[in-house]
Amino acid sequence: MAPLAERIRPKSLSEFFGQSHIIGKGKVLTKIIESGNIPNMVFFGPPGTGKTTLANIIAERSGKRFYKLNATNASIKDIKDVIEDTKTLMGSKGILLYLDEIQNFDKRRQQSLLEFIENGTITLIASTADNPYFCIYKAILSRSLVFEFKPLKKEEVISGIQRAVKLLKEQTAGLVCDDDAILHISDLSGGDLRRAINTLEAAYSTCQDNHITKEWAAECLKVGVLNYDRNGDSHYDALSYFQKCIRGSDPDASILALAILVKGGDLLSICRRLLVIASEDIGLAAPQGITIVKSCVDAALQLGFPEAGIPLAHAVLYLATAPKSNSAVSAIYSALGDLDTKDIGELPAHLRDGHYAGAKHLGRMQDYKYPHDYPNNYVEQQYLPDNFKGNTYYKAGKNKMEQAAYEYWQKIKGR
């Protein structure tokens, strides 16, 4: 017997769960499907969100011959076999090829599809859990519409589970599935309906007295539900979320973001990002921050997980509640930008190295004024090259530390 998830797979748009941002009355993908004019498409999003189901529905409505390949184990020969069918009556209306996990196709295999996509022999629907803009050949992307599939909402997962329970009750008289069991499975599904249905099926096949309780559902759900791939798009999304929460001075969201990363187990990425944040987002507003964070990071690296989470939390809460300044990152990026667009010319001769024979003859370090020989260890002289004279890169942040330094130097420099 086919798995339960396969048996309840929707056969029409009216039965389809989720993706209400693209599927439904008046939505773009629904209109495309109803028109019958199916373009090449890329579906991307996490597992269990309906990508394969929707491809099946589209194939049924299109009247095209439907082929499904998984890029994990498909070869160029498999593609050629599909293409051969376009030359027969079997492929007279054209072929719709559903290529699952296209990120596993290298550029050469993706390119082998291009000619047939361009001439319309093959209509391609590719799916991936990775960001397509990173993993799909640009020529294919430019010829395709890209649709993002999002994790299902809780109520959508519940509806899917209830439909599966109804089917199970039809085949097993007296089956009882408690409402709190359904709620528990939906809560821990991570928006993945297939995972929820597989959990329900496991609970059904192993429960006592045909009674699925919350407690037994929980026994069947003792694995993590976090959608986190250390080598995938979600990894960088989580790191971005982490930094933006700290930058936004929200300690609660920052700790939650840290917890997501800790669950992912990538200690090195957490440590590197914290060190960046200490200078990029806190910087001179709390200049001791980099030292505190470095100490916490060193402790975390020595401890390893699970204890590493404690000094990491110390660093995160310090940074999230610290005053903020981006003056350091703004200054360096501004200077780097100028170097990309302007000729720096010669460095000022009086600031160049003069500690060698002949330096005086070349005019090196002549007329250099040693600041420590002057009051307040400061004397005015030209530091920027002639081509950059008058440029300003550092702008003091609106915080106590930088404003105090700014006022001090304004006074010393007599401005």
Side-chain angles (χ1 to χ4, degrees):
M1 185 181 292
L4 180 59
E6 188 63 34
R7 283 182 281 149
I8 70 153
R9 188 185 292 278
K11 300 295 190 296
S12 66
L13 286 178
S14 61
E15 297 176 345
F16 188 80
F17 292 103
Q19 312 315 322
S20 57
H21 60 295
I22 52 174
I23 292 290
K25 188 176 180 180
K27 299 296 183 177
V28 60
L29 193 47
T30 298
K31 288 191 171 185
I32 288 173
I33 296 168
E34 290 174 344
S35 75
N37 185 20
I38 308 301
N40 300 301
M41 293 184 281
V42 174
F43 296 164
F44 88 98
T49 52
K51 300 187 294 294
T52 302
T53 297
L54 193 58
N56 286 331
I57 293 171
I58 292 171
E60 183 67 28
R61 292 183 66 112
S62 71
K64 295 177 182 288
R65 185 165 177 79
F66 185 50
Y67 285 86
K68 180 180 176 183
L69 295 177
N70 190 301
T72 304
N73 49 35
S75 64
I76 288 181
K77 181 182 182 303
D78 295 316
I79 296 172
K80 288 180 177 177
D81 289 343
V82 171
I83 291 165
E84 281 301 309
D85 265 0
T86 66
K87 302 173 183 177
T88 70
L89 288 175
M90 296 172 70
S92 59
K93 290 186 178 180
I95 281 177
L96 192 152
L97 173 63
Y98 178 62
L99 185 57
D100 196 13
E101 299 188 59
I102 190 175
Q103 74 276 6
N104 290 308
F105 257 17
D106 57 24
K107 184 176 179 180
R108 179 167 167 264
R109 283 185 287 176
Q110 290 190 36
Q111 284 177 319
S112 68
L113 291 165
L114 200 55
E115 174 189 348
F116 302 96
I117 291 172
E118 285 183 326
N119 65 26
T121 304
I122 286 179
T123 299
L124 176 70
I125 299 180
S127 71
T128 176
D130 295 345
N131 191 323
Y133 296 98
F134 297 153
C135 68
I136 297 180
Y137 183 43
K138 285 185 174 61
I140 290 179
L141 269 184
S142 69
R143 292 162 175 81
S144 306
L145 296 177
V146 179
F147 293 98
E148 180 180 6
F149 281 57
K150 299 180 179 180
L152 271 64
K153 298 173 184 175
K154 181 178 178 180
E155 57 270 23
E156 294 166 342
V157 176
I158 290 173
S159 294
I161 298 171
Q162 288 172 336
R163 181 179 173 186
V165 169
K166 182 179 178 182
L167 177 62
L168 291 175
K169 286 182 175 180
E170 289 174 359
Q171 69 183 48
T172 305
L175 176 67
V176 175
C177 183
D178 293 344
D179 289 342
D180 58 359
I182 293 175
L183 287 173
H184 189 66
I185 293 172
S186 66
D187 282 340
L188 295 180
S189 68
D192 181 340
L193 181 56
R194 182 166 57 242
R195 183 172 192 277
I197 300 303
N198 289 343
T199 301
L200 174 68
E201 187 171 26
Y204 161 72
S205 61
T206 57
C207 68
Q208 292 184 346
D209 302 321
N210 289 332
H211 187 185
I212 303 173
T213 64
K214 176 184 176 182
E215 291 71 25
W216 189 243
E219 282 295 314
C220 298
L221 260 171
K222 286 189 173 177
V223 292
V225 297
L226 186 67
N227 177 29
Y228 186 90
D229 176 3
R230 282 175 56 175
N231 298 313
D233 201 34
S234 59
H235 169 71
Y236 298 102
D237 284 345
L239 286 171
S240 176
Y241 174 68
F242 181 50
Q243 182 161 2
K244 289 180 173 69
C245 290
I246 293 175
R247 180 185 295 154
S249 302
D250 189 321
D252 298 312
S254 299
I255 282 292
L256 176 62
L258 173 63
I260 292 171
L261 292 167
V262 168
K263 283 283 188 181
D266 189 354
L267 178 56
L268 186 58
S269 290
I270 300 171
C271 292
R272 291 178 63 188
R273 188 57 64 108
L274 284 171
L275 290 168
V276 167
I277 293 168
S279 290
E280 181 178 348
D281 295 304
I282 283 76
L284 296 174
Q288 73 278 16
I290 186 71
T291 305
I292 293 170
V293 171
K294 180 62 167 63
S295 296
C296 291
V297 161
D298 287 347
L301 290 170
Q302 281 190 297
L303 289 168
F305 286 132
E307 290 88 351
I310 300 169
L312 292 176
H314 175 170
V316 165
L317 291 174
Y318 171 79
L319 294 174
T321 57
K324 305 295 188 292
S325 172
N326 70 340
S327 59
V329 67
S330 296
I332 186 60
Y333 283 168
S334 179
L336 288 169
D338 274 359
L339 290 177
D340 286 338
T341 58
K342 298 179 183 178
D343 176 17
I344 193 170
E346 290 193 335
L347 299 176
H350 64 284
L351 301 181
R352 293 164 73 177
D353 183 21
H355 298 91
Y356 57 90
K360 184 176 181 179
H361 176 71
L362 295 173
R364 304 292 191 262
M365 221 168 89
Q366 304 303 301
D367 302 321
Y368 171 60
K369 298 174 183 177
Y370 185 58
H372 297 297
D373 288 340
Y374 295 84
N376 300 309
N377 307 103
Y378 173 77
V379 60
E380 188 170 353
Q381 59 187 321
Q382 182 180 337
Y383 287 95
L384 286 168
D386 288 341
N387 291 356
F388 283 62
K389 198 171 180 180
N391 286 12
T392 301
Y393 297 112
Y394 172 62
K395 296 178 181 177
K398 305 294 185 183
N399 58 78
K400 183 177 179 181
M401 291 293 297
E402 289 183 87
Q403 286 301 308
Y406 174 77
E407 290 171 9
Y408 169 79
W409 283 112
Q410 289 295 97
K411 180 180 179 181
I412 295 301
K413 295 177 181 181
R415 296 174 186 170

